[in-house]
Amino acid sequence: MKLAYVTALFPNAPAEQFFEAEVRSIARRMDVVLIPTRPPSATMCYDDLGAAVLSLPLFDLRVAGLALRQVLRTPGRSLAALMRVAFGPNSSLRARAVNLAAFPKALAVAHEVRRLGIDHVHAAWLTTPATIAWIVHRVTGIPFSITAHQHDIFSGNLLAPKVRDARFTRVISDRNRTKLVEQLPAALAERCVTLHLGVEVPPLPPAPPARPPRILCAARLCEWKGHRYLLAALAQLRDGGVAFACDLAGDGEIRAEVTALVERFALGDRVRMLGNVPHADVVAQLAHSDYDLFALASTEREGEHEGIPVAAMEAMAACVPVVSTTTGSLPELVAPAEGLLVPQRDPAALAEAIATMLADPELRRRCGARSRAHVEAAFETGVTTDALLARIAAGDPGQLAEATTTVRAV
């Protein structure tokens, strides 16, 4: 079987790291062609993925030429797809504009997936990647499926037509599946399934060295990740005489605000802002027991909440327990025996939970071991990939042939 995997930026940007484990896992089973929707460059940011890459910009002369060739091949289907994108229901004005901008690329991708002999297209987001996969399906008949995460569920972007025409729509958590189904006709609910995104489970880590406990918060620097509440909690811990060091890995639109808060709370000797750290480096540091605790202070409001954070999964896989807020789908990941969850926007409660973990190495050990076992059972990438590919193959059982790791040039 040959699979096209449509993303937004991955693998041509140091973003969407959460796709890396799944792509590697799929590529060990079959041929995979990655198709980023809007690659910022032609540079690969991940090594040895085992997948080929079809990197086309959103629009240029090559895209225009390929799109024209597809129109000439399927003029009726291409026009019908354009009318659905421009005038069909279930799409906001902004989504229509975005989809029209992506339409030539979708036709170009349709031409290329036929040329490459692709059997199935999987869209990694319910937004523009799913629009492209849907258009490819409408003009070529090649089946497609979708992964829905979090913010894309609330995009108002052809949700019902995409879910209806897809072989299935996979949602990465139960809560987010419920949120998606609430926006769809009742008859489409059964076409949405919960299927977690997985992570690689490293070998058992060594015992942590004797040193002050180290905390990791790996999260994009954006308002709803709650860094202000984490920093306020860390200031309380410092004032209470608790020894610790904390690394903030990630970058984003509120970097200046977070930097100012570190200075305001006088945490410069305890907190390091690392910026974007290569995904492989973070995974390696967790696997080598460089961190004792993973902390996340996420908040939520309507249409904006956590899915199941892959960074937290990776920490748990490395026996690092989690302290976080009871937001989004985090309770589906962190059970009471595996970490501590506290109310959102409550620095005192967060500080107390972190202090409890830092003060008790045996508690951290027990929670870390249970966390790893939970991830191995429900979130290990081999398990989740097998479930995903079984869903893809269900519509045509003959498609899931013996896995191959052959990588073809595109």
Side-chain angles (χ1 to χ4, degrees):
M1 184 179 188
K2 297 174 183 176
L3 178 75
Y5 194 101
V6 185
T7 68
L9 302 170
F10 182 89
N12 295 84
E16 300 180 337
Q17 300 97 326
F18 37 85
F19 296 142
E20 182 179 3
E22 180 162 278
V23 168
R24 291 186 189 280
S25 186
I26 295 173
R28 288 192 286 268
R29 293 158 168 80
M30 63 183 64
D31 284 347
V32 182
V33 177
L34 294 168
I35 306 177
T37 301
R38 44 188 176 88
S41 72
T43 303
M44 282 275 289
C45 295
Y46 299 84
D47 296 327
D48 304 321
L49 286 173
V53 182
L54 174 61
S55 185
L56 296 169
L58 195 60
F59 188 80
D60 66 0
L61 288 178
R62 182 187 176 198
V63 168
L66 293 172
L68 178 59
R69 292 170 70 178
Q70 183 60 45
V71 169
L72 294 175
R73 181 185 181 97
T74 55
R77 290 184 178 186
S78 298
L79 179 60
L82 177 60
M83 292 300 99
R84 292 290 299 276
V85 167
F87 304 111
N90 307 112
S91 187
S92 68
L93 184 61
R94 180 182 183 280
R96 289 174 197 267
V98 171
N99 291 342
L100 286 170
F103 190 78
K105 174 157 184 174
L107 293 179
V109 170
H111 179 277
E112 291 298 274
V113 297
R114 273 194 176 278
R115 178 180 69 83
L116 295 168
I118 296 296
D119 300 299
H120 187 95
V121 179
H122 184 74
W125 296 97
L126 192 47
T127 46
T128 306
T131 300
I132 288 176
W134 180 67
I135 293 169
V136 169
H137 169 72
R138 301 290 297 186
V139 300
T140 68
I142 295 172
F144 77 107
S145 53
I146 304 166
T147 290
H149 295 264
Q150 183 268 326
H151 67 84
D152 50 333
I153 291 169
F154 305 98
S155 63
N157 189 337
L158 294 168
L159 299 185
K162 290 174 181 175
V163 171
R164 183 189 60 246
D165 290 350
R167 184 163 286 175
F168 64 92
T169 295
R170 163 233 209 156
V171 191
I172 56 93
S173 73
D174 285 333
R175 176 176 178 179
N176 286 353
R177 178 188 178 277
T178 299
K179 292 292 186 182
L180 174 58
V181 167
E182 287 173 352
Q183 302 176 71
L184 298 172
L188 296 181
E190 63 182 14
R191 304 187 67 82
C192 303
V193 298
T194 301
L195 203 170
H196 301 309
L197 200 62
V199 298
E200 294 180 344
V201 177
L204 278 170
R211 50 159 170 70
R214 296 187 63 195
I215 303 166
L216 173 66
C217 174
R220 184 164 67 92
L221 299 183
C222 61
E223 194 67 35
W224 62 274
K225 288 291 186 177
H227 289 85
R228 66 174 62 192
Y229 303 106
L230 175 60
L231 292 172
L234 295 179
Q236 292 183 30
L237 292 174
R238 187 268 322 278
D239 293 344
V242 178
F244 69 88
C246 180
D247 285 347
L248 305 182
D251 210 340
E253 57 269 27
I254 64 165
R255 180 179 180 84
E257 179 182 332
V258 174
T259 301
L261 285 170
V262 171
E263 295 176 359
R264 174 185 163 193
F265 288 121
L267 287 168
D269 61 338
R270 303 286 191 104
V271 174
R272 296 190 303 172
M273 295 186 62
L274 305 181
N276 282 327
V277 180
H279 182 227
D281 291 354
V282 175
V283 171
Q285 289 162 0
L286 288 166
H288 287 95
S289 299
D290 287 358
Y291 295 102
D292 304 281
L293 188 66
F294 185 92
L296 197 59
S298 298
T299 63
E300 68 173 83
R301 59 188 179 189
E302 187 61 33
E304 186 179 78
H305 60 262
E306 286 285 2
I308 298 183
V310 168
M313 276 190 256
E314 290 171 335
M316 293 170 67
C319 297
V320 177
V322 172
V323 169
S324 186
T325 50
T326 310
T327 57
S329 301
L330 276 160
E332 296 178 42
L333 174 66
V334 184
E338 299 159 5
L340 297 175
L341 296 178
V342 301
Q344 62 177 315
R345 298 183 176 90
D346 189 340
L350 187 61
E352 182 179 358
I354 293 174
T356 298
M357 280 289 189
L358 296 188
D360 192 339
E362 178 58 23
L363 174 63
R364 296 200 302 273
R365 188 198 66 76
R366 290 197 309 271
C367 289
R370 290 166 179 161
S371 294
R372 179 184 174 90
H374 179 45
V375 170
E376 283 182 317
F379 297 93
E380 193 274 324
T381 192
V383 173
T384 59
T385 297
D386 285 345
L388 175 64
L389 296 183
R391 288 276 179 182
I392 288 173
D396 185 355
Q399 285 292 313
L400 195 56
E402 184 175 348
T404 174
T405 56
T406 303
V407 180
R408 305 188 306 109
V410 175

